[in-house]
Amino acid sequence: MALKQVGLERLNTATTKKIGINKNLIINGAMQVAQRGTSSTVEGYGSVDRMRLSHGNVDENPTHSQVNVASGTTPYTLGFRKAYRITNGNQTSGAGADDHVIFQYRPEDQDFATSGWNYTSASSYVTMSFWCKSSIAQNFYFDWQSDNGSQYRYVMETGSLSADTWTKITKTIPGNSNIVLNNDTGVGFYIQWHLFDGTNRTGTRPLDAWAALDNTTRTPDQTSTWYTTNDSTFEITGLQIEVGSVATDFEHRSFGQELALCQRYFFAIPYGSSSNNTQFISSIDAFAVSTSEIRAQVHFPVPMRSNASYTGSSTNIEYNSSNNSDHFNASGLADYLSITGENAYGMSLRKTSAASIDAGTSGHFIFRATGGFLQFSAEL
């Protein structure tokens, strides 16, 4: 019996190393989920979930998007089907000293604080790996920036990438006694890729070492070719951070698992229609409590990171019952469970000054035209 038990433990250990069980500290590292849409030019979140674009002093906004990984390539052969792409705009005035294009991943403090990494010890490590591809052959810098206490930065480089060629990057990062992580829902690190920083943001900076934060020398001086080339692209997929000094196989999670993890930060109720395009099926149960007030409740699929903010398309949302209809004003949202942290379970929808609604009727808030939506965000 003892021998059989030992064999089972070895099998489980081997399986864990090969497949991984919740080892990846990154959410949506395979870039599968894009709740907001597959392409955007807005600064911030707008396409692939959990990936945030930041830029400044650009002549034309870059585009960030979810794209397909071409079949027959590696990482396609490793199971990756989607990537996050930044497409440069037309920077007609050249590489200005304050120009920058950066994209980020912002994990919660508690995800790293409770990961098992002894982050204040220089002999304890996490390993970061990802696949990337640039349309321009050059070197790129990326870094970790701590957010609590005395802030520190750890800068790394991809090395010279060949144009239009997928390359796997692996870096092992030690702890540092200056790092502070809180067991809460705030930002733990800013993990960021510097596609371009102008000379007011770069200078002498050590690589592969923790150093005090200095925003005038975020990275060493950078090559500007990518930034000054119209429509240049940079793509990334297979992003993984795991405790330990060795990069193991990527932890592929199902789309449903990744979607649920992403919905802690963002949840959308979009417009939808039936196959014959005559009935609009995205709806929320509602009730007319009086002739002038309609109420409904949205229960989020998972508890959100914090109280959610919201946006909506008021002109395309309507209360509809067997007797009445009235347009719903998205600005009438109010907190349903106004509890911080883990207990942000939902929101109430409240339409006041309704037009000729029969009290006591039940119905739905429905999306009556393409573009109708409600979105709830608790992003970092």
Side-chain angles (χ1 to χ4, degrees), residues 96-175:
D98 289 309
D99 294 6
H100 59 276
V101 177
I102 300 168
F103 66 92
Q104 299 176 326
Y105 181 91
R106 298 179 175 184
E108 288 183 50
D109 256 333
Q110 61 187 355
D111 291 346
F112 277 70
T114 64
S115 66
W117 176 35
N118 186 4
Y119 51 85
T120 61
S121 171
S123 60
S124 183
Y125 302 91
V126 288
T127 299
M128 178 182 185
S129 56
F130 57 90
W131 288 88
C132 64
K133 180 177 71 169
S134 169
S135 63
I136 301 297
Q138 70 170 66
N139 180 41
F140 294 90
Y141 294 104
F142 58 103
D143 77 279
W144 287 32
Q145 176 188 324
S146 64
D147 189 54
N148 303 311
S150 299
Q151 295 174 294
Y152 274 68
R153 177 174 273 145
Y154 192 95
V155 181
M156 298 156 278
E157 62 182 349
T158 62
S160 183
L161 300 179
S162 299
D164 298 313
T165 302
W166 283 106
T167 302
K168 186 174 183 179
I169 307 298
T170 301
K171 297 289 183 178
T172 299
I173 301 163

Side-chain angles (χ1 to χ4, degrees), residues 145-216:
Q145 176 188 324
S146 64
D147 189 54
N148 303 311
S150 299
Q151 295 174 294
Y152 274 68
R153 177 174 273 145
Y154 192 95
V155 181
M156 298 156 278
E157 62 182 349
T158 62
S160 183
L161 300 179
S162 299
D164 298 313
T165 302
W166 283 106
T167 302
K168 186 174 183 179
I169 307 298
T170 301
K171 297 289 183 178
T172 299
I173 301 163
N176 182 275
S177 59
N178 296 292
I179 294 175
V180 176
L181 290 175
N182 301 315
N183 189 23
D184 62 22
T185 61
V187 176
F189 293 97
Y190 297 96
I191 300 169
Q192 43 203 5
W193 289 258
H194 300 256
L195 301 184
F196 180 71
D197 276 302
T199 54
N200 284 350
R201 300 163 59 91
T202 65
T204 301
R205 188 82 192 182
L207 292 178
D208 302 316
W210 289 102
L213 182 68
D214 179 356
N215 285 329
T216 63

Side-chain angles (χ1 to χ4, degrees), residues 69-85:
V69 175
S71 63
T73 64
T74 305
Y76 184 96
T77 56
L78 299 176
F80 298 99
R81 296 297 183 267
K82 299 294 182 181
Y84 179 64
R85 174 189 288 171

Side-chain angles (χ1 to χ4, degrees), residues 245-357:
S245 58
V246 177
T248 63
D249 292 345
F250 183 83
E251 180 187 2
H252 285 282
R253 293 188 283 248
S254 71
F255 180 87
Q257 288 174 304
E258 293 288 11
L259 176 60
L261 291 170
C262 290
Q263 285 176 332
R264 175 171 170 77
Y265 306 91
F266 180 83
F267 167 57
I269 304 175
Y271 160 86
S273 65
S274 63
S275 59
N276 63 10
N277 204 35
T278 59
Q279 298 294 323
F280 299 90
I281 61 175
S282 291
S283 63
I284 305 162
D285 291 341
F287 183 78
V289 298
S290 71
T291 58
S292 61
E293 183 175 340
I294 308 162
R295 294 183 183 178
Q297 294 177 347
V298 175
H299 296 274
F300 302 145
V302 299
M304 300 193 78
R305 182 189 65 86
S306 64
N307 286 343
S309 62
Y310 61 86
T311 57
S313 173
S314 61
T315 58
N316 290 328
I317 301 175
E318 184 178 86
Y319 173 73
N320 188 276
S321 72
S322 58
N323 300 325
N324 312 104
S325 65
D326 186 41
H327 283 296
F328 170 64
N329 180 3
S331 65
L333 289 171
D335 287 345
Y336 165 43
L337 290 178
S338 303
I339 306 173
T340 59
E342 299 291 331
N343 294 318
Y345 290 109
M347 269 190 180
S348 67
L349 311 182
R350 183 168 174 263
K351 173 71 166 70
T352 58
S353 302
S356 302
I357 296 298

